[in-house]
Amino acid sequence: MVRKASYGFKACLNCKMLVDKREKVCPNCGNKDFSDEWSGMVIIFNVKESNLATVLNIKKEGMYAIKVR
Ligand SMILES: [Zn+2]
């Protein structure tokens, strides 16, 4: 079941990490502002060996949205 592009996650407005909608604080950066309006998803397993992580300026393993509105 897929509704829009949210998948039960929301995106942190600061670092774009995708977190469970029940979370109140971003586990990555501590930000409390989230958006349901995101699209595209990348999963980073190893920050040090991922070119994508470098390009997207991601410092920690996790799921991230490509675009957040
Ligand atoms: Zn964050």
Side-chain angles (χ1 to χ4, degrees):
M1 192 179 80
V2 177
R3 249 187 265 149
K4 288 177 74 182
S6 57
Y7 303 105
F9 295 102
K10 57 188 178 180
C12 173
L13 287 174
N14 184 45
C15 69
K16 295 185 181 176
M17 181 179 250
L18 293 174
V19 301
D20 190 287
K21 282 191 172 169
R22 288 165 296 188
E23 294 278 355
K24 291 193 172 65
V25 179
C26 174
N28 188 34
C29 70
N31 180 40
K32 289 176 184 161
D33 295 314
F34 297 92
S35 173
D36 292 326
E37 303 269 317
W38 58 271
S39 63
M41 180 196 276
V42 290
I43 300 173
I44 305 296
F45 293 106
N46 191 328
V47 167
K48 288 184 184 117
E49 291 176 12
S50 171
N51 292 329
L52 199 56
T54 309
V55 169
L56 297 173
N57 199 27
I58 290 168
K59 306 265 191 304
K60 189 180 169 184
E61 286 83 5
M63 288 188 299
Y64 293 85
I66 305 282
K67 271 193 198 168
V68 181
R69 266 188 282 174

